[in-house]
Amino acid sequence: MKPIKVGLLGLGTVGTGVVRIVEGHQPDLQSQVGSPIVIEKVLVQNKSKERSISIHPDKLTEDAWDIIHNPDIDVIVEVMGGIETTKGYILEALARGKHVVTANKDLMALHGPEIIAAAQENNCDVYYEASVAGGIPIIRTLVEGFSSDRITKIMGIVNGTTNYILTKMSQEGAAYGDVLKEAQELGYAEADPTSDVEGLDAARKMTILATLGFRANVALEDVDVKGISAITREEILYAKRLGYEVKLLGIAERQDDYISVSVQPTMVKASHPIASVNGVFNAVYVYGEAVGETMFYGPGAGELPTATSVVADLVAVVKNLKLGVNGKQETLAYNEKKLKTDEQIASKYFMLLHVADRAGVLARITQAFAEHEVSLESVLQQPNPSIPEAEIIIITHDASKAAANRVLKSLEDMEVVKSIKSVYRVEG
Amino acid sequence: MKPIKVGLLGLGTVGTGVVRIVEGHQPDLQSQVGSPIVIEKVLVQNKSKERSISIHPDKLTEDAWDIIHNPDIDVIVEVMGGIETTKGYILEALARGKHVVTANKDLMALHGPEIIAAAQENNCDVYYEASVAGGIPIIRTLVEGFSSDRITKIMGIVNGTTNYILTKMSQEGAAYGDVLKEAQELGYAEADPTSDVEGLDAARKMTILATLGFRANVALEDVDVKGISAITREEILYAKRLGYEVKLLGIAERQDDYISVSVQPTMVKASHPIASVNGVFNAVYVYGEAVGETMFYGPGAGELPTATSVVADLVAVVKNLKLGVNGKQETLAYNEKKLKTDEQIASKYFMLLHVADRAGVLARITQAFAEHEVSLESVLQQPNPSIPEAEIIIITHDASKAAANRVLKSLEDMEVVKSIKSVYRVEG
């Protein structure tokens, strides 16, 4: 049996995990695919760096073209990250008939359609299970497990850093800044945490999930994004008191062929299965017209969990190689993309207002909601000794985003409304 | 594009769902497989019965051989249930080169290896995603999503009826008999509930999951089975007070190539993700050496959820047909089956004892555990005004099943032990 030769681009956390799994699980892998799988060559930044795994120095190279132009290599596994340079490597590898497995969410969110098209032209596979939710096989689930269904909603906790921060804030009543600092010390958050905490990382993953779930080419700029950096511990405490947890949710919805995709801090009813996903774990909740409610839970990052998905993709490529059916993945994005307008995007809202403490104020405020046809699920006016104003908490029934914005605009214009402290989407 | 013709064996709940999805999602299905998928012929018990779906009378037959011997039919979808007769139909269909999709857990648990071998001989596919956990694509997840990993533990809530009963008992403090009766009235439990409540249904599903997860042919008789019919509301209340939920768990474990599979009521720590799976929902928790903790949650039964999995399998068969690669699923059970002995099966235990209320009793009892080298995590002696004896609750550290049995035997022989009220496995 001819061994399958793999070129590995990158030997950071995930790359190291790929080497460990390919070597550690070799007998199992061979039993499944019928051939040895060999890591033939590895691209590194510095050949002489000390590493936690032993790898023959001859296998290391600092020149990507050593791998991409190597005719012996059947499959490229890209775990180096980056966008433009990496895209160049991948397109060139595909042009040379090499199959590609990548864990690169940024690349797939920005250039997925181009890369998939290049793969199909060259009869090559591109697999990217590890690009979303690390160890959870959510891409397979959407593409194959639910091939028969019409998915109408995907809600994901797809960023472990922000879920860790929000979990700590909720469980310990800690402040955002303190938890972020702790997360950075533990290695859960990067020195520059912007991409995680401002929701961009989650938006990239939701771009991929929405494209696969709705089978239409959703682009990153279609995603409405808001991060967690402005969340206060008071808001989280209010949410808990009302029976909600605050989670950074990616939400992709489809109704009558119109779709919307967003990432924002969301109040999730405590009884909803996604509300109890804590710490660095990820989860993707999928609602299908036929199947109903499902949820997929697991580690969203980490050396071995992410490498599990990468190597599972590698196994799929090798099985296709044996059968001679690489590059035959069906064109997934067969639906035209039609985006919802703000009039079509509906959800419940939580609003916390500070208002003048005098007679008739509540009536005027609820009148503003009525005028814009936003109906209310619950209204709570309560004293807050720490402020001179009265405090009003409103949870609406489903309202369009446009109507909610009209209400907010008219509240802003009211002299009796001192400030709109918080506005959250509500789920569950 | 030549239509793909399907012969449907059975038009009960799931069969009706299959017709609905194949017809309702036809444009989506065609976009994916490139051909119309047509339900050509349907086996029913009574052609003139009224049905909730409209289906042309010419398509109905009361004779299975009309379908199995029909040369136009490419794929058999078996949703009629039953074992021996059904197996005969499936083997004959495979011998005639027809691919098979089945939702039949009983058949696959008892005769899976024989059916898979027959399919391979005839270059045919056999898919059976719907046989376990209805709408959750757990078989794809084990076979493909985790192909790279070494799964060491699978815990499943794979029977909705018993989970409904236990959830009601836990949430409402209701008695087993009352909830069972209510479940029967709601159609969640059958008139003869034995197969569900005694754990047999769950054992069949665990046979399938353990075979796929550990890649060894586990047989139904390898599964150690205990049902829920003896559970009292008092036991559930005790569990809750200690921070546990009682769940009927299927547990498959592997250590150093030795495996064990069981189904039993288990006390699960409330913080474990599987503890909050309530009502008729199913969930499968999978632990892999590399991926770590994952869980897959969704509806375990029902017309459309189960049909979602059946039709997803049908899509897989049709894609294979287009590529000419049917019957090429790798031989999954490549590991030799080695079963753990009772000395190798380890878990924590909960024990509730009624003992003579006098000095030195607790010392004698804990001494019995020490003699058999079972160490204790917690011991609680408390007054129970409703009984003349003292009550002792013990939770052990991990102990072998054999050692736990030796302890129980020596407790039974002690004059001071009036009765061993409950013994539960503990997880989480």
Side-chain angles (χ1 to χ4, degrees):
Chain A
M1 297 173 297
K2 187 173 150 291
I4 303 297
K5 293 187 175 173
V6 175
L8 184 61
L9 303 182
L11 193 56
T13 305
V14 179
T16 303
V18 169
V19 174
R20 277 194 223 276
I21 291 180
V22 168
E23 292 182 352
H25 294 180
Q26 188 65 219
D28 259 315
L29 297 175
Q30 281 196 38
S31 299
Q32 289 179 66
V33 300
S35 303
I37 297 180
V38 177
I39 308 278
E40 181 74 3
K41 209 87 189 173
V42 185
L43 175 67
V44 293
Q45 283 182 306
N46 178 357
K47 282 172 73 168
S48 48
K49 188 180 156 188
E50 283 220 32
R51 303 179 186 283
S52 64
I53 45 169
S54 81
I55 193 159
H56 196 287
D58 290 355
K59 291 200 166 185
L60 301 181
T61 175
E62 293 173 10
D63 179 3
W65 305 110
D66 265 2
I67 294 176
I68 291 158
H69 292 166
N70 183 336
D72 291 344
I73 286 178
D74 306 290
V75 189
I76 299 288
V77 170
E78 186 274 300
V79 289
M80 60 187 279
I83 300 179
E84 293 308 326
T85 307
T86 313
K87 180 183 155 197
Y89 294 160
I90 285 180
L91 291 178
E92 178 66 16
L94 291 169
R96 290 173 178 257
K98 298 187 197 311
H99 311 290
V100 172
V101 172
T102 173
N104 195 324
K105 61 187 172 295
D106 306 332
L107 185 66
M108 292 310 293
L110 290 169
H111 302 295
E114 182 183 349
I115 289 169
I116 290 167
Q120 288 186 332
E121 269 167 42
N122 293 289
N123 288 314
C124 286
D125 286 338
V126 170
Y127 282 90
Y128 49 100
E129 181 67 76
S131 67
V132 183
I136 309 173
I138 186 64
I139 290 182
R140 277 182 174 69
T141 296
L142 292 176
V143 174
E144 294 168 27
F146 295 147
S147 61
S148 57
D149 203 358
R150 192 178 153 80
I151 292 166
T152 53
K153 189 164 190 172
I154 303 170
M155 294 204 294
I157 292 177
V158 288
N159 180 275
T161 305
T162 48
N163 202 50
Y164 174 85
I165 293 172
L166 293 173
T167 301
K168 279 274 180 180
M169 288 177 74
S170 170
Q171 291 180 347
E172 300 172 9
Y176 170 77
D178 296 338
V179 184
L180 173 59
K181 205 172 144 229
E182 187 193 323
Q184 285 171 320
E185 284 161 8
L186 287 167
Y188 291 162
E190 299 190 41
D192 175 0
T194 313
S195 163
D196 290 324
V197 300
E198 297 308 341
L200 186 60
D201 175 84
R204 289 171 171 168
K205 291 163 179 168
M206 290 308 297
T207 303
I208 296 171
L209 293 182
T211 294
L212 296 171
F214 302 152
R215 302 177 192 271
N217 275 324
V218 174
L220 183 57
E221 55 266 32
D222 300 329
V223 186
D224 193 22
V225 188
K226 195 180 159 202
I228 67 163
S229 56
I231 298 177
T232 65
R233 71 175 117 189
E234 288 73 24
E235 290 171 332
I236 288 181
L237 285 174
Y238 269 115
K240 279 177 90 82
R241 219 184 297 153
L242 296 166
Y244 294 88
E245 293 287 342
V246 176
K247 295 290 181 189
L248 183 68
L249 285 195
I251 303 181
E253 291 177 294
R254 169 161 70 165
Q255 243 175 332
D256 306 330
D257 290 338
Y258 286 85
I259 65 181
S260 62
V261 189
S262 60
V263 171
Q264 68 272 296
T266 305
M267 288 198 183
V268 188
K269 201 151 229 170
S271 57
H272 192 285
I274 212 164
S276 50
V277 174
N278 287 326
V280 293
F281 275 90
N282 279 198
V284 182
Y285 169 96
V286 179
Y287 190 92
E289 278 182 0
V291 74
E293 286 191 290
T294 62
M295 195 175 82
F296 307 91
Y297 167 93
E303 176 186 310
L304 291 174
T306 309
T308 300
S309 288
V310 171
V311 181
D313 279 352
L314 185 55
V315 167
V317 170
V318 177
K319 284 182 186 170
N320 289 343
L321 264 172
K322 299 277 152 175
L323 297 174
V325 294
N326 301 96
K328 304 290 186 200
Q329 289 151 290
E330 74 283 6
T331 306
L332 291 163
Y334 50 76
N335 289 323
E336 189 196 342
K337 177 180 75 184
K338 298 186 214 163
L339 294 175
K340 288 188 189 183
T341 65
D342 282 0
E343 298 288 350
Q344 291 171 297
I345 298 172
S347 76
K348 294 161 77 168
Y349 286 90
F350 164 98
M351 297 178 189
L352 171 61
L353 313 176
H354 286 182
V355 301
D357 193 2
R358 56 176 193 256
V361 170
L362 188 56
R364 290 188 54 193
I365 285 169
T366 53
Q367 180 59 26
F369 284 83
E371 273 163 20
H372 297 292
E373 292 180 4
V374 174
S375 64
L376 305 181
E377 181 184 291
S378 63
V379 178
L380 174 68
Q381 179 169 351
Q382 59 181 18
N384 181 340
S386 66
I387 54 168
E389 300 91 11
E391 192 167 76
I392 296 180
I393 290 168
I394 287 170
I395 295 178
T396 72
H397 285 298
D398 267 354
S400 76
K401 193 174 167 184
N405 284 336
R406 285 191 287 269
V407 169
L408 289 167
K409 180 78 186 59
S410 69
L411 293 175
E412 273 169 18
D413 293 345
M414 279 185 197
E415 181 262 333
V416 296
V417 176
K418 300 307 175 190
S419 69
I420 299 169
K421 298 296 288 181
S422 316
V423 180
Y424 280 91
R425 181 173 174 140
V426 175
E427 287 289 334
Chain B
M1 293 174 302
K2 186 174 151 286
I4 303 299
K5 295 190 174 171
V6 175
L8 183 61
L9 304 183
L11 194 57
T13 305
V14 179
T16 303
V18 169
V19 174
R20 278 194 221 277
I21 291 181
V22 168
E23 291 182 351
H25 294 180
Q26 188 65 218
D28 260 315
L29 297 175
Q30 281 197 38
S31 298
Q32 288 179 66
V33 301
S35 304
I37 296 179
V38 177
I39 307 278
E40 181 75 3
K41 209 87 191 173
V42 185
L43 175 67
V44 294
Q45 282 182 308
N46 177 357
K47 282 171 74 167
S48 48
K49 187 179 158 188
E50 283 220 32
R51 301 180 188 282
S52 63
I53 47 170
S54 84
I55 194 159
H56 196 286
D58 290 354
K59 291 201 166 185
L60 300 181
T61 175
E62 294 173 9
D63 178 4
W65 305 109
D66 266 1
I67 294 177
I68 290 157
H69 292 166
N70 183 333
D72 290 344
I73 286 178
D74 306 290
V75 188
I76 299 289
V77 170
E78 185 274 300
V79 289
M80 60 187 280
I83 299 177
E84 292 307 327
T85 307
T86 311
K87 179 182 153 195
Y89 293 160
I90 285 180
L91 291 178
E92 179 66 16
L94 291 170
R96 289 173 178 257
K98 298 188 196 310
H99 310 290
V100 172
V101 172
T102 174
N104 194 324
K105 62 187 173 292
D106 305 333
L107 185 65
M108 291 311 292
L110 290 169
H111 301 295
E114 182 182 349
I115 288 169
I116 290 167
Q120 289 186 332
E121 268 167 42
N122 294 288
N123 287 314
C124 285
D125 285 340
V126 170
Y127 282 90
Y128 49 100
E129 181 67 75
S131 66
V132 182
I136 309 172
I138 186 64
I139 290 181
R140 277 182 174 69
T141 297
L142 291 177
V143 173
E144 293 168 27
F146 295 146
S147 61
S148 57
D149 204 357
R150 192 177 154 80
I151 293 166
T152 52
K153 190 164 189 171
I154 303 170
M155 295 204 293
I157 292 178
V158 288
N159 180 276
T161 305
T162 47
N163 202 49
Y164 174 84
I165 293 172
L166 293 174
T167 301
K168 279 275 181 183
M169 289 176 75
S170 170
Q171 291 179 347
E172 299 172 8
Y176 170 77
D178 296 338
V179 185
L180 173 60
K181 207 172 144 225
E182 188 194 321
Q184 285 170 322
E185 284 161 9
L186 288 167
Y188 292 159
E190 298 189 43
D192 175 1
T194 313
S195 162
D196 290 323
V197 301
E198 298 307 342
L200 187 59
D201 175 84
R204 287 171 172 167
K205 291 163 179 168
M206 290 308 297
T207 303
I208 296 171
L209 293 183
T211 294
L212 295 171
F214 302 151
R215 303 177 191 273
N217 275 324
V218 174
L220 183 57
E221 56 266 31
D222 300 329
V223 186
D224 192 23
V225 188
K226 194 180 160 200
I228 68 162
S229 57
I231 298 178
T232 66
R233 71 175 116 188
E234 288 74 23
E235 289 171 329
I236 288 182
L237 287 175
Y238 268 115
K240 278 177 92 80
R241 217 183 299 154
L242 295 166
Y244 293 88
E245 293 287 343
V246 177
K247 295 289 181 190
L248 184 67
L249 286 195
I251 302 179
E253 291 177 295
R254 169 161 70 163
Q255 245 176 331
D256 307 330
D257 292 338
Y258 286 86
I259 65 181
S260 62
V261 189
S262 61
V263 170
Q264 69 273 297
T266 305
M267 289 200 183
V268 187
K269 200 150 229 168
S271 57
H272 192 283
I274 212 163
S276 50
V277 174
N278 287 326
V280 294
F281 275 90
N282 278 198
V284 182
Y285 169 96
V286 179
Y287 191 93
E289 279 182 357
V291 75
E293 284 192 291
T294 63
M295 195 176 83
F296 307 92
Y297 168 92
E303 177 186 309
L304 291 174
T306 309
T308 299
S309 287
V310 170
V311 182
D313 279 351
L314 185 54
V315 167
V317 170
V318 177
K319 284 182 187 170
N320 289 344
L321 264 171
K322 299 276 154 175
L323 298 174
V325 295
N326 301 95
K328 304 290 186 202
Q329 292 151 289
E330 73 284 6
T331 306
L332 292 163
Y334 51 75
N335 288 324
E336 187 197 343
K337 177 180 75 182
K338 298 186 215 163
L339 295 175
K340 287 189 188 183
T341 65
D342 281 1
E343 299 287 351
Q344 292 171 299
I345 298 172
S347 77
K348 293 159 80 168
Y349 286 90
F350 165 99
M351 297 178 189
L352 172 61
L353 314 176
H354 286 182
V355 301
D357 192 3
R358 58 176 192 256
V361 169
L362 187 57
R364 287 188 54 192
I365 285 169
T366 52
Q367 179 60 24
F369 284 83
E371 273 163 20
H372 295 292
E373 293 180 2
V374 173
S375 65
L376 305 182
E377 180 184 293
S378 63
V379 179
L380 175 69
Q381 179 168 351
Q382 59 183 15
N384 181 339
S386 67
I387 55 169
E389 300 91 9
E391 192 167 76
I392 295 179
I393 290 168
I394 288 170
I395 295 179
T396 71
H397 285 298
D398 268 354
S400 76
K401 194 175 167 184
N405 284 336
R406 285 192 287 268
V407 169
L408 288 166
K409 179 79 187 57
S410 69
L411 292 175
E412 273 168 18
D413 292 345
M414 280 186 197
E415 181 261 335
V416 296
V417 175
K418 299 307 174 189
S419 69
I420 298 168
K421 297 297 287 183
S422 315
V423 180
Y424 281 91
R425 181 174 173 139
V426 175
E427 285 289 334

